[in-house]
Amino acid sequence: MPYKPSGLANPWLHLWLSILCVTIYELLLKRGATETAHLADSWAWTGISGLASPYSWVAILFVILSLLSWLHVLRYIPLSIAFPVSQVVHVLIPLCSWLFLGEAIIGLRWCGITLVLLGLAVVAKPVAQLEERL
Amino acid sequence: MTLVSFAIVLIALCGEVGGQLVLKKAMEMSNAAGFRSLKFLLVFTAGILLMTVKFFLNLGLLQKYDLSFIYPFQGLSVIIITFTAAIMLREKLTLQLTVGSLLISAGIVLVSLS
């Protein structure tokens, strides 16, 4: 009988933890990148100058947390299911960019967000089938 | 968006797809051989290196463009990863999963076009 992780080791819990950490990471990284955009040097295209901001370092902490959770997810859930589900970040990030960074969301972007949500609803059935097996 | 920026977006996308596939392979290896096997460590390091390249290229792009504009480009990776996982990792690909992934990718492209 295959091992069924439960409680804090539940891979679905880790999938959501990873999604939350990625959302926070992207928002902090944008803050860090904006703060350091004026630092012009020949290596600026690599993004390395972004490390001058503490926001980027906190972002790195969150991306490490998300990576650890994601690695746990990869041990138990197929990539072709876990990755599409993790794309709920494409709904969360524009919403959070609008709420916390003051970025605009125009009509077409709302349509895109709706399509992503529709796709997630379609993917939900294979997810439920897998959860029954896990 | 300039041609160079577009090329960097594409390289970052390849880093994401390659990184995810290699890390999944590494974690499958860890289930069988444990975390201390040399094979696992080599494959895991390759996956982390690919993700690191993607991270720094993404940071460079964010210095020039809005987060809500740049991030959705990575959304193309959904459909690419779903298919490559089915081909290279031999994962089961159902019709619902394909349709769902296509809808997610289409939604993300629509967000990026706006």
Side-chain angles (χ1 to χ4, degrees), chain A residues 52-83:
Chain A
S53 167
Y55 282 114
S56 301
W57 288 99
V58 181
I60 289 170
L61 195 69
F62 273 95
V63 83
I64 291 170
L65 279 175
S66 95
L67 178 68
L68 292 176
S69 283
W70 182 245
L71 290 175
H72 184 72
V73 169
L74 290 181
R75 289 191 83 184
Y76 302 102
I77 303 176
L79 185 62
S80 55
I81 285 191
F83 198 78

Side-chain angles (χ1 to χ4, degrees), chain A residues 26 46 70 74 79-80 103, chain B residues 20 24 56 59 68 71 91:
Chain A
E26 289 286 351
T46 61
W70 182 245
L74 290 181
L79 185 62
S80 55
E103 293 181 7
Chain B
Q20 292 293 351
K24 174 67 182 168
F56 280 107
L59 191 58
S68 49
Y71 196 80
E91 290 185 1

Side-chain angles (χ1 to χ4, degrees), chain A residues 110-120, chain B residues 100 103-104 106-108 110:
Chain A
W110 282 117
C111 292
I113 288 170
T114 309
L115 259 184
V116 173
L117 285 172
L118 196 65
L120 287 167
Chain B
L103 281 171
I104 293 169
I108 291 164
L110 205 61

Side-chain angles (χ1 to χ4, degrees), chain A residues 85 118-131, chain B residues 96-97 100:
Chain A
V85 173
L118 196 65
L120 287 167
V122 175
V123 168
K125 198 177 173 185
V127 168
Q129 286 168 344
L130 179 75
E131 200 168 5
Chain B
Q96 277 142 333
L97 200 55

